[in-house]
Amino acid sequence: AAYKKKIMVHFGYDKKDGPPTTLHFTIDISSVIFHFCICDNDHVADVEGSKMKWSLLKKKNRVSRQVLTFDSIRLSQTSSNKEWAGVPELLFPLKESSRREGDIAAQLTYESTSRPTGDNARTLTVKDACIFLIYPAWMYVKSFFQNLPNPDIMDKEEVQSSVQIADRWYRIQKECLPHVHDS
């Protein structure tokens, strides 16, 4: 009985035949820095963001939606590797003057919708950013995240001869396509 008195909120899964839990909350942080470290002495990268806003909405139909936005975001690799140590910033915003009146403020937006069927949709949008593509440095930063596949980097021509299905890109090899003869 003492345990029951201490429970302030009963979630839907806490009560048999109870209604599903619904919630909606938002966190606003004016400035944030994330330090990615593999261990105490292996600092991989810093992510600095301004005006971070994260919201989570869970509806009674068990559909959950997350939205994370940053007005400005900067990714810096922190390796002392001589090959790429001279370029610490891998992702940073374009000059503020490049934004036009009426532009949406968020430079980075991550949206995720999860359904009870397991049908999940995720999008990541980065606007008005400079990305330095120093492959070994990006791979160093990627080492923080376990089980991620290596990135597939394509030039403009490769993208034009590819098709995107969901979150994957597939190259179309023209020599493998059937040839249609004109009559």
Side-chain angles (χ1 to χ4, degrees):
Y3 168 76
K4 295 253 182 202
K5 289 180 183 177
K6 292 181 183 178
I7 297 175
M8 295 178 65
V9 177
H10 283 282
F11 289 98
Y13 51 80
D14 289 336
K15 294 200 259 180
K16 184 177 181 183
D17 300 325
T21 302
T22 61
L23 56 95
H24 186 198
F25 65 88
T26 301
I27 297 173
D28 287 309
I29 300 175
S30 62
S31 178
V32 65
I33 298 175
F34 298 102
H35 300 290
F36 295 142
C37 301
I38 293 175
C39 61
D40 290 341
N41 297 326
D42 196 359
H43 188 190
V44 175
D46 290 334
V47 175
E48 299 176 54
S50 67
K51 296 184 183 175
M52 182 192 103
K53 184 174 185 176
W54 177 64
S55 67
L56 175 62
L57 170 66
K58 185 176 175 197
K59 300 177 182 181
K60 65 182 178 180
N61 63 0
R62 294 184 173 92
V63 172
S64 297
R65 180 165 170 81
Q66 291 185 70
V67 177
L68 172 69
T69 60
F70 285 94
D71 277 9
S72 177
I73 192 159
R74 181 179 307 270
L75 169 67
S76 303
Q77 60 89 15
T78 54
S79 167
S80 58
N81 186 304
K82 292 178 183 174
E83 238 183 290
W84 62 80
V87 186
E89 293 184 342
L90 300 177
L91 171 76
F92 58 92
L94 291 172
K95 293 179 184 176
E96 287 295 320
S97 62
S98 68
R99 290 192 179 172
R100 286 167 278 174
E101 190 75 27
D103 280 353
I104 297 173
Q107 182 189 11
L108 181 137
T109 303
Y110 170 78
E111 296 177 295
S112 171
T113 303
S114 300
R115 294 177 177 79
T117 60
D119 178 26
N120 302 321
R122 296 178 192 98
T123 59
L124 177 66
T125 305
V126 180
K127 298 170 86 179
D128 296 330
C130 290
I131 299 173
F132 276 109
L133 186 57
I134 301 165
Y135 190 78
W138 279 97
M139 295 305 290
Y140 178 72
V141 172
K142 180 194 150 300
S143 69
F144 174 79
F145 302 95
Q146 297 178 2
N147 302 319
L148 280 180
N150 288 338
D152 193 10
I153 300 169
M154 296 185 281
D155 61 24
K156 185 177 180 179
E157 290 160 4
E158 288 175 302
V159 170
Q160 290 175 343
S161 64
S162 301
V163 62
Q164 183 181 12
I165 300 173
D167 64 344
R168 303 276 190 263
W169 283 86
Y170 299 93
R171 287 183 172 88
I172 302 170
Q173 296 178 350
K174 293 179 183 177
E175 56 271 1
C176 294
L177 296 174
H179 185 67
V180 178
H181 298 285
D182 292 332
S183 310

